[in-house]
Amino acid sequence: MSHQQQLPTVLVTGGGGYLGSHMVVMLQQAGWHPVVLDNFSNCQPEVFSRIERITGEPVTVVEGDIRDASCLNRLFDSYSFELVVHFAGLKAAGESVQQPLSYYDNNVSGSLQLIQAMAYHQCKRLVFSSSATVYGAAKQMPLTENSPLGAVNPYGQSKLMVEQMLRDTAAADDEWQVALLRYFNPVGAHDSGLIGEDPGGVPNNLLPFVAQVAVGRLPEVQVLGDDYPTPDGTGVRDYIHVMDLVEGHLKAMAVLTPGHGCQAYNLGTGQGYSVLEVVRAFEQACGKPLPTRVVARREGDVAQCFADPGFSQQQLGWRAQRDLAQMVTDHWRWQQQNPQGYSS
Ligand code: WQD
């Protein structure tokens, strides 16, 4: 029996992705045996070699899709999972407006298949990768877990629907312990520079876009509107380091004990930064000025979105530790060492 096989086992769906890969590193280093299920639709096999270079442990990877019930049943028959951390899903808000059925198929049907397989195999502890987009067009900042819910795109709707499925499942069976982790804006990378965010095509999100300008893959940063009701007119968001996020997942795993039920937690820093503040911070990190151009607002963007992380701090004993300078420094190190991402 290998070293890892003697450790408690956790299923990590989407473990090849940006959040998932950082979670696998964290789990291996925290004494877990993570088993990754990934359909490789949005990751490259190279990521698992990188994880092994960081931790010294090979990654157990099963290629498969959460929508495939027979694959899930084979997996649960092969391992006795203590719990599941569920990242697998599509996550581009803009894309979801063009392809709603694909988002409902992957995110909702896929999660339903997973939850059913978990129930059948008596594995009823789940950490779910949710998103601040479930707060939709909430106006009152900062956002708490009791802020009004409402999605403004099919991606956010799909997260809301899965949250509701889990709330109803836990209400019907008190053996279920579920943490709904609502991420704000994940950025940064492991400080080795070996793993990081590697979006295919032109990035939708600000940080990978800025990083690709800094490394010379894109010509200029497009500031999507500077006429918002914010201090400098550009959008304000709660950026959070990916390592802080995955540490929050570890803390959430620890509270999934009898009586927890289903509970949402905001994983944000509570500090908002504008687009221009992020660009300036990135210029400091990469040591060069970055060309920017103000263009029209993006459909669906809100002026500001940031968390009140008080409940997560109180309930999980967790708070983000890394500041904006650390986020952009780590993001830049990953991009500089991997100009073309994992296919560098
Ligand atoms: C941040 C700010 C833009 C790109 C999205 C998803 C959310 C979550 C995180 C999954 C905004 C501005 C952006 C650019 C810019 N993903 N911007 N130029 O929209 O807050 O959230 O990603 O859970 O669900 O909705 O993130 O990085 O796209 O935008 O000026 O090229 O940067 O207007 O103010 P967003 P973002």
Side-chain angles (χ1 to χ4, degrees):
M1 180 180 277
S2 77
H3 158 63
Q4 283 199 69
Q5 283 166 328
Q6 298 160 37
L7 300 174
T9 304
V10 52
L11 172 60
V12 183
T13 73
Y18 175 36
L19 270 295
S21 55
H22 286 80
M23 189 71 212
V24 170
V25 167
M26 183 69 65
L27 286 166
Q28 287 189 333
Q29 292 178 336
W32 287 85
H33 173 205
V35 174
V36 169
L37 175 68
D38 205 302
N39 66 5
F40 287 80
S41 66
N42 190 26
C43 76
Q44 314 222 9
E46 170 65 15
V47 66
F48 300 111
S49 315
R50 303 292 186 90
I51 291 170
E52 187 170 353
R53 281 173 60 186
I54 294 170
T55 65
E57 293 286 348
V59 183
T60 308
V61 183
V62 174
E63 184 168 359
D65 196 304
I66 54 173
R67 293 169 291 181
D68 178 349
S70 54
C71 166
L72 290 172
N73 283 318
R74 280 196 307 276
L75 197 56
F76 279 88
D77 283 339
S78 310
Y79 296 93
S80 146
F81 295 119
E82 298 291 321
L83 76 153
V84 176
V85 185
H86 176 31
F87 293 104
L90 302 179
K91 61 162 187 145
E95 180 188 59
S96 75
V97 177
Q98 316 305 327
Q99 303 170 26
L101 290 181
S102 176
Y103 273 70
Y104 292 127
D105 184 31
N106 280 278
N107 294 4
V108 181
S109 302
S111 297
L112 177 58
Q113 291 296 335
L114 175 67
I115 297 164
Q116 287 174 320
M118 290 176 70
Y120 181 77
H121 294 272
Q122 295 298 311
C123 171
K124 298 180 177 181
R125 296 165 69 216
L126 174 64
V127 175
F128 174 57
S129 168
S130 190
S131 165
T133 35
V134 300
Y135 295 116
K139 294 278 182 283
Q140 188 70 31
M141 294 296 147
L143 292 167
T144 72
E145 288 76 2
N146 300 316
S147 291
L149 301 177
V152 293
N153 53 57
Y155 163 72
Q157 197 62 261
S158 72
K159 290 295 184 182
L160 259 186
M161 291 160 87
V162 177
E163 285 198 2
Q164 191 58 50
M165 287 194 309
L166 289 165
R167 264 193 289 276
D168 293 343
T169 301
D173 174 355
D174 61 11
E175 288 183 6
W176 277 89
Q177 317 303 342
V178 179
L180 310 171
L181 302 187
R182 294 171 178 166
Y183 309 158
F184 281 72
N185 288 61
V187 295
H190 187 266
D191 61 11
S192 64
L194 289 170
I195 57 175
E197 187 174 12
D198 184 18
V202 176
N204 295 304
N205 296 138
L206 180 65
L207 257 294
F209 198 107
V210 172
Q212 289 192 17
V213 171
V215 82
R217 282 176 64 180
L218 290 169
E220 63 183 7
V221 175
Q222 298 188 335
V223 176
L224 299 173
D226 67 349
D227 58 351
Y228 284 102
T230 60
D232 65 16
T234 65
V236 170
R237 296 293 185 273
D238 185 333
Y239 299 96
I240 179 167
H241 198 294
V242 64
M243 293 309 291
D244 279 323
L245 263 183
V246 294
E247 284 169 7
H249 284 65
L250 267 189
K251 294 282 192 181
M253 287 165 59
V255 302
L256 295 185
T257 52
H260 177 273
C262 182
Q263 177 58 53
Y265 300 96
N266 283 347
L267 293 191
T269 67
Q271 167 70 51
Y273 289 104
S274 75
V275 174
L276 292 181
E277 286 173 320
V278 168
V279 173
R280 299 292 164 258
F282 210 100
E283 289 177 328
Q284 291 297 313
C286 69
K288 52 186 158 183
L290 298 176
T292 62
R293 174 149 42 128
V294 178
V295 297
R297 290 184 177 189
R298 178 171 62 182
E299 183 71 25
D301 276 0
V302 295
Q304 40 183 0
C305 176
F306 54 93
D308 172 347
F311 185 69
S312 294
Q313 289 167 13
Q314 177 203 11
Q315 297 296 317
L316 303 179
W318 166 90
R319 65 179 306 151
Q321 304 295 320
R322 297 160 180 87
D323 62 10
L324 181 62
Q326 189 73 55
M327 295 180 212
V328 293
T329 298
D330 292 347
H331 208 119
W332 172 234
R333 183 184 305 106
W334 149 255
Q335 189 73 84
Q336 192 178 26
Q337 290 180 186
N338 304 274
Q340 300 301 325
Y342 288 111
S343 38
S344 293

